[in-house]
Amino acid sequence: MRMSVRLNLPREVDSVPAVRRLLRCALTILRVDRQAGADLEIALTEACANVVKHAAGAESFEVHLDVGEDRCSIDVVDDGTGFDPGVDAAPSPVSERGRGLFLIRALGENVRMQSSPRTGSLIHFEKSFA
């Protein structure tokens, strides 16, 4: 079985838990390992929260979920001002912010980040299931 969903969400805080719940439901239906599911939920939450906080100029954003029995692929796309995807610095241990991209890279597989000023950003990541 495979579930594919494409969501167009308003760039607001309430969109983050809504998309996270949808992912959790899909993972539960497909009986995905809890740890892999938790990793995906955290990575998706961080990607969406970054759009809400930083994608100035974007009114909405898209989330593409493709969940199968053996893997999940997620794209988060916005048309905001963009960011520097080359930033690879680990967050400060005392900072309460700046962990989003670090966590996505740590928890996801095949992570790809693209961004251009005034044309938006794409964060893509996957997770394979045992």
Side-chain angles (χ1 to χ4, degrees), residues 8-12 51 55 57-62 77-80:
N8 189 345
L9 300 160
R11 186 180 151 238
E12 58 187 42
V51 170
E59 291 185 23
S60 63
F61 66 104
E62 290 187 6
V77 182
D78 70 72
D79 64 352

Side-chain angles (χ1 to χ4, degrees), residues 13-81:
V13 173
D14 291 341
S15 294
V16 179
V19 73
R20 186 176 58 234
R21 279 191 301 272
L22 180 65
L23 174 64
R24 185 179 309 133
C25 287
L27 296 172
T28 300
I29 289 169
L30 293 171
R31 294 188 174 101
V32 170
D33 172 73
R34 281 186 182 232
Q35 185 58 55
D39 290 350
L40 283 166
E41 283 186 50
I42 292 168
L44 177 60
T45 298
E46 292 298 332
C48 293
N50 279 350
V51 170
V52 171
K53 289 179 190 172
H54 303 296
E59 291 185 23
S60 63
F61 66 104
E62 290 187 6
V63 176
H64 309 167
L65 302 174
D66 187 23
V67 185
E69 294 174 359
D70 60 343
R71 65 181 278 290
C72 178
S73 173
I74 297 175
D75 290 333
V76 178
V77 182
D78 70 72
D79 64 352
T81 56

Side-chain angles (χ1 to χ4, degrees), residues 46-126:
E46 292 298 332
C48 293
N50 279 350
V51 170
V52 171
K53 289 179 190 172
H54 303 296
E59 291 185 23
S60 63
F61 66 104
E62 290 187 6
V63 176
H64 309 167
L65 302 174
D66 187 23
V67 185
E69 294 174 359
D70 60 343
R71 65 181 278 290
C72 178
S73 173
I74 297 175
D75 290 333
V76 178
V77 182
D78 70 72
D79 64 352
T81 56
F83 68 99
D84 182 0
V87 173
D88 201 23
S92 163
V94 295
S95 175
E96 293 183 19
R97 302 185 66 193
R99 297 183 185 329
L101 299 179
F102 178 80
L103 284 170
I104 294 166
R105 287 183 180 112
L107 298 172
E109 301 165 359
N110 301 317
V111 177
R112 187 173 73 246
M113 299 181 187
Q114 300 170 334
S115 187
S116 317
R118 297 179 305 278
T119 61
S121 303
L122 161 73
I123 297 178
H124 168 89
F125 55 96
E126 302 173 10

